Amino acid sequence: MSDLLVLGADLLGGGAADVLVVDGRIAAVGPDAAADAPSGVERLDADGLTLLPGFVDLHTHLREPGREDAETIASGSRAAAVGGYTAVLAMANTSPVTDTAEAAERVLDLGRAAGLVDVVPIGAVTKGLDGHELAELGLMHRSRARVSVFSDDGHCVADGRVMRRALEYVRAFGGVVSQHSQDPTLAGPQACCHEGELSGRLGLPGWPPVAEASIIARDAMLARHTRSRVHVAHVSTAEGLDVVRWAKAQGIAMTAEVAPHHLTLGTELLTGYDPVYKVNPPLRPTEDQEALRAGLADGSIDAVATDHAPHARHDKEHAFVDAAFGMLGLETAFSVVHDVMVRTGRMSMADLARVMSSGPARVAGLAGHGRPVAVGEPATLVLVDPTAPVTVDRAASQSLSRNTPWHGARLTGAVHTTILRGVVTAHEGEPTAC
């Protein structure tokens, strides 16, 4: 921890102010902050910048252990810090799978060694992600990693009996199951294009919206039956969102996230068979994108989650049906969401902070993240420049992989500085030493 004086930052709803950080916490906000600052304090000029709580990503693939050629926890942490994130939840589909307490603690320790963001392990729901036998849910929660979010992401927990048992188990300690909603009998492992005229014309296996909505509906009923919490990962269709809205109206403990690419990129991009656009769930038509934007704006969707999925070139450079699913997201998420939601007037910067910080922190139970900029709160913050132009260059990525769909895109809104408990972890596009 260190002392820091942020000068002239725009606070949400509060105008420009100085913010003093002492011992990792906010000690003063306003005109007295500079006067109260100890001598020799590090000063950060924030004129024209907006100060927000640090971003939290509910859905990050860091690939370590097993695929360190695509990403490591260290490289993913660098990408996260540069993207304004102070916490990321690391998905369990590593090799070996994060399905034991020891595996979860290893991810935790590697994240702490990197020291740039809080890397929070997600535990697998089932052993080996096989969908049959529950993983060590209780042991993972009682470990040093304190795992509270569980997911077989990349695979749906399709067996209703197994999903029910998982929800019953995590209820005892307030955990949550994050579901990859894909009925495998309706959208099999080869499904890679939104089912419709385009999938037929391109000859690509179809992924119908009902494959998503039907699992969300089943899980909503199971959550109500078990009085437990279920989270919908990367909702991608209007039909799926309709079910989420219904569940919330019924008082069911269901939350949902949306990925930046499902807000902005459409299924028509698949006409060139470029595997950079292959993602699961697939890109959807305009009407789905519009529904998701509306759902994010009105609070039906609780969080933006990147589904950051790095892949080595030899896993992506194949025929479309054979290429790996997934795309990068950590370094571009703020700019993409700011462009599509804030600049268009659909959301305010306060709304953006809700869906990228406080909302995901609440879903994950991260008490030290997503907190307001107020005296006594952890100084876990991000400074953004809402007017700065950004041209995405995959060669400049902190990730070990290069599979970004936004290469060459011109966006507006840049992350300037990321601060984790008073320590600057990234500044003007570069990670800093802790």
Side-chain angles (χ1 to χ4, degrees), residues 123-135:
V125 178
T126 63
K127 291 183 177 180
L129 310 179
D130 68 1
H132 301 302
E133 183 179 358
L134 288 185

Side-chain angles (χ1 to χ4, degrees), residues 419-430:
I419 303 166
L420 178 64
R421 291 183 289 275
V423 176
V424 174
T425 57
H427 183 68
E428 295 185 332
E430 294 293 334

Side-chain angles (χ1 to χ4, degrees), residues 104-170:
E105 289 178 347
R106 176 62 173 162
V107 173
L108 178 73
D109 291 341
L110 288 169
R112 288 177 173 174
L116 293 169
V117 299
D118 286 344
V119 176
V120 181
I122 289 179
V125 178
T126 63
K127 291 183 177 180
L129 310 179
D130 68 1
H132 301 302
E133 183 179 358
L134 288 185
E136 298 179 356
L137 309 185
L139 290 177
M140 285 189 276
H141 179 70
R142 291 191 295 273
S143 72
R144 287 188 294 107
R146 302 297 297 168
V147 178
S148 293
V149 182
F150 300 87
S151 181
D152 278 3
D153 185 61
H155 302 271
C156 178
V157 183
D159 188 316
R161 181 180 62 87
V162 173
M163 187 64 176
R164 173 186 173 176
R165 289 179 59 212
L167 289 168
E168 289 173 336
Y169 205 110
V170 304

Side-chain angles (χ1 to χ4, degrees), residues 59-342:
H59 197 140
T60 307
H61 297 275
L62 294 178
R63 303 304 186 206
E64 186 177 8
R67 288 305 308 268
E68 289 86 352
D69 57 327
E71 196 79 287
T72 64
I73 290 174
S75 66
S77 294
R78 292 193 295 270
V82 166
Y85 287 91
T86 52
V88 297
L89 278 77
M91 279 294 172
N93 60 337
T94 50
S95 182
V97 172
T98 307
D99 56 6
T100 66
E102 292 79 11
E105 289 178 347
R106 176 62 173 162
V107 173
L108 178 73
D109 291 341
L110 288 169
R112 288 177 173 174
L116 293 169
V117 299
D118 286 344
V119 176
V120 181
I122 289 179
V125 178
T126 63
K127 291 183 177 180
L129 310 179
D130 68 1
H132 301 302
E133 183 179 358
L134 288 185
E136 298 179 356
L137 309 185
L139 290 177
M140 285 189 276
H141 179 70
R142 291 191 295 273
S143 72
R144 287 188 294 107
R146 302 297 297 168
V147 178
S148 293
V149 182
F150 300 87
S151 181
D152 278 3
D153 185 61
H155 302 271
C156 178
V157 183
D159 188 316
R161 181 180 62 87
V162 173
M163 187 64 176
R164 173 186 173 176
R165 289 179 59 212
L167 289 168
E168 289 173 336
Y169 205 110
V170 304
R171 183 187 64 200
F173 51 80
V176 61
V177 177
S178 176
Q179 174 72 290
H180 177 108
S181 303
Q182 178 183 1
D183 186 330
T185 66
L186 296 173
Q190 294 298 311
C192 58
C193 181
H194 176 83
E195 185 176 279
E197 182 274 333
L198 184 65
S199 65
R201 177 156 53 88
L202 297 179
L204 296 175
W207 208 119
V210 68
E212 177 175 89
S214 60
I215 293 294
I216 297 174
R218 183 207 70 178
D219 288 350
M221 299 305 292
L222 288 174
R224 179 158 70 180
H225 177 74
T226 60
R227 303 186 309 280
S228 191
R229 290 201 299 144
V230 66
H231 178 73
V232 181
H234 44 46
V235 63
S236 68
T237 64
E239 290 92 331
L241 177 57
D242 285 343
V243 181
V244 172
R245 283 198 174 105
W246 173 85
K248 290 190 170 193
Q250 300 300 309
I252 295 169
M254 173 173 277
T255 53
E257 70 188 38
V258 65
H261 49 267
H262 286 129
L263 293 171
T264 57
L265 305 178
T267 192
E268 72 280 354
L269 292 168
L270 274 59
T271 56
Y273 295 100
D274 185 344
V276 76
Y277 297 115
K278 184 181 180 183
V279 66
N280 190 8
L283 302 181
R284 302 293 188 179
T286 301
E287 54 267 31
D288 290 300
Q289 295 173 55
E290 285 297 324
L292 295 173
R293 294 170 187 175
L296 187 64
D298 69 22
S300 300
I301 298 173
D302 302 83
V304 169
T306 69
D307 196 4
H308 176 82
H311 287 292
R313 288 181 59 184
H314 57 265
D315 290 321
K316 268 293 188 182
E317 294 183 353
H318 291 278
F320 194 89
V321 293
D322 299 321
F325 290 101
M327 50 185 60
L328 301 184
L330 286 170
E331 293 166 274
T332 51
F334 168 72
S335 300
V336 171
V337 175
H338 178 266
D339 245 15
V340 73
M341 299 302 296
V342 178

